[in-house]
Amino acid sequence: MNQAVGILEVYGLVCAFMAADAGCKAASVTLENFDKNKPANADSLPVPLLVTIKFRGSISDVEAAMEAGIEMAKTVSGVVQHYIIPNPTDDTCKMLKLSGFDKV
């Protein structure tokens, strides 16, 4: 069985680092690569870059990390979306390794 994954999308890289740090301090989780997205309406957003944080661990640890990450993100620039996958498939786990930060 694969570890649970918590996906937290926030506004901006600084917010992502702060939310990831809060989540990792709150629970025994690891991080997958951050991902980024600059949507077509970027100029109308609070910060014109969306960053996705991916926490991995047991379901209870991922829930605690997500809660801490969400609370931190709300105090910085905000949360776009969040979701927990309790038992991701192998194909989903492969997709977690992808990152827009690898692209120039």
Side-chain angles (χ1 to χ4, degrees), residues 7-54:
I7 303 168
L8 174 58
E9 187 174 44
V10 300
Y11 294 105
L13 191 56
V14 170
C15 183
F17 274 101
M18 293 176 72
D21 182 62
C24 288
K25 288 177 178 171
S28 180
V29 292
T30 58
L31 294 173
E32 294 285 347
N33 296 333
F34 282 7
D35 201 0
K36 69 175 180 171
N37 181 26
K38 186 172 183 180
N41 68 335
D43 292 337
S44 67
L45 300 175
V47 177
L49 179 69
L50 305 181
V51 180
T52 304
I53 304 156
K54 298 169 267 187

Side-chain angles (χ1 to χ4, degrees), residues 40-93:
N41 68 335
D43 292 337
S44 67
L45 300 175
V47 177
L49 179 69
L50 305 181
V51 180
T52 304
I53 304 156
K54 298 169 267 187
F55 296 108
R56 298 298 303 271
S58 69
I59 294 171
S60 59
D61 283 331
V62 168
E63 287 172 342
M66 289 285 283
E67 184 177 319
I70 289 167
E71 290 308 309
M72 176 58 74
K74 286 179 180 178
T75 69
V76 183
S77 54
V79 174
V80 180
Q81 295 284 336
H82 59 90
Y83 191 76
I84 294 175
I85 303 172
N87 183 22
T89 65
D90 290 339
D91 289 335
T92 299
C93 290

